[in-house]
Amino acid sequence: MDTDTLKPGFKGTAELTVARQHCTSRGGPWVFMTPAMVQFCEMSCHNLVMPKLSAGQHTVGTVVHIRHLAPTPEGMKVRAEIELVEVDRRRLKFKIQVYDEMELVGECEHERFVIDVDKAGERLRKKIEAMKR
């Protein structure tokens, strides 16, 4: 992990065009659904920090607090403005604001944890083996 650049204040953006798979209808127009907004925020944070991680490291989401403030229709673009606000060893805390082409539509606080892929894989393999018994 590059601790020289991966520190509070590190920022980035991400964009997504809202497609049908990101939407719900509830009998009306197709709109960006909250679970898709959560996934967009998580992946935006992950993609922001991945280039700063060491070989063999990855991030996993651990906490999400989200407020979905306004609807976004299918076909409109959304933009995440991401800021890394806290680094505590391997725990990374982010604040994200999600805008569509007209307004602020979501606010999110999200935490990710930096893992060593091999170590996490071994733990998972043990769990899978235990299931087979």
Side-chain angles (χ1 to χ4, degrees):
M1 189 166 72
D2 183 352
T3 55
D4 290 335
T5 57
L6 205 51
K7 54 177 82 170
F10 183 56
K11 295 180 181 182
T13 61
E15 288 190 353
L16 172 75
T17 299
V18 177
R20 182 63 53 98
Q21 72 261 24
H22 309 122
C23 292
T24 187
S25 171
R26 306 289 194 264
W30 291 94
V31 295
F32 194 36
M33 64 182 162
T34 303
M37 183 182 286
V38 169
Q39 182 181 29
F40 176 53
C41 289
E42 285 207 44
M43 290 308 302
S44 297
C45 293
H46 171 75
N47 292 337
L48 177 67
V49 300
M50 271 307 291
K52 306 294 183 187
L53 300 182
S54 301
Q57 290 185 323
H58 220 283
T59 68
V60 293
T62 56
V63 177
V64 177
H65 296 281
I66 198 156
R67 293 180 60 218
H68 197 152
L69 305 171
T72 300
E74 179 183 14
M76 192 174 268
K77 288 183 182 177
V78 289
R79 180 184 77 255
E81 294 185 0
I82 310 136
E83 181 177 3
L84 179 60
V85 295
E86 186 178 326
V87 178
D88 181 9
R89 295 177 300 256
R90 292 177 172 244
R91 185 179 59 84
L92 309 174
K93 184 175 181 179
F94 302 87
K95 286 198 176 188
I96 306 103
Q97 291 188 306
V98 180
Y99 295 88
D100 64 19
E101 297 172 40
M102 299 182 70
E103 63 185 330
L104 177 69
V105 297
E107 297 175 328
C108 181
E109 291 184 2
H110 178 47
E111 292 184 14
R112 299 192 71 75
F113 196 81
V114 178
I115 63 165
D116 292 315
V117 175
D118 289 341
K119 186 176 177 181
E122 181 58 32
R123 181 177 176 196
L124 184 56
R125 279 188 288 281
K126 287 179 182 177
K127 192 178 267 192
I128 291 168
E129 286 301 317
M131 282 177 26
K132 294 178 182 178
R133 293 184 200 140

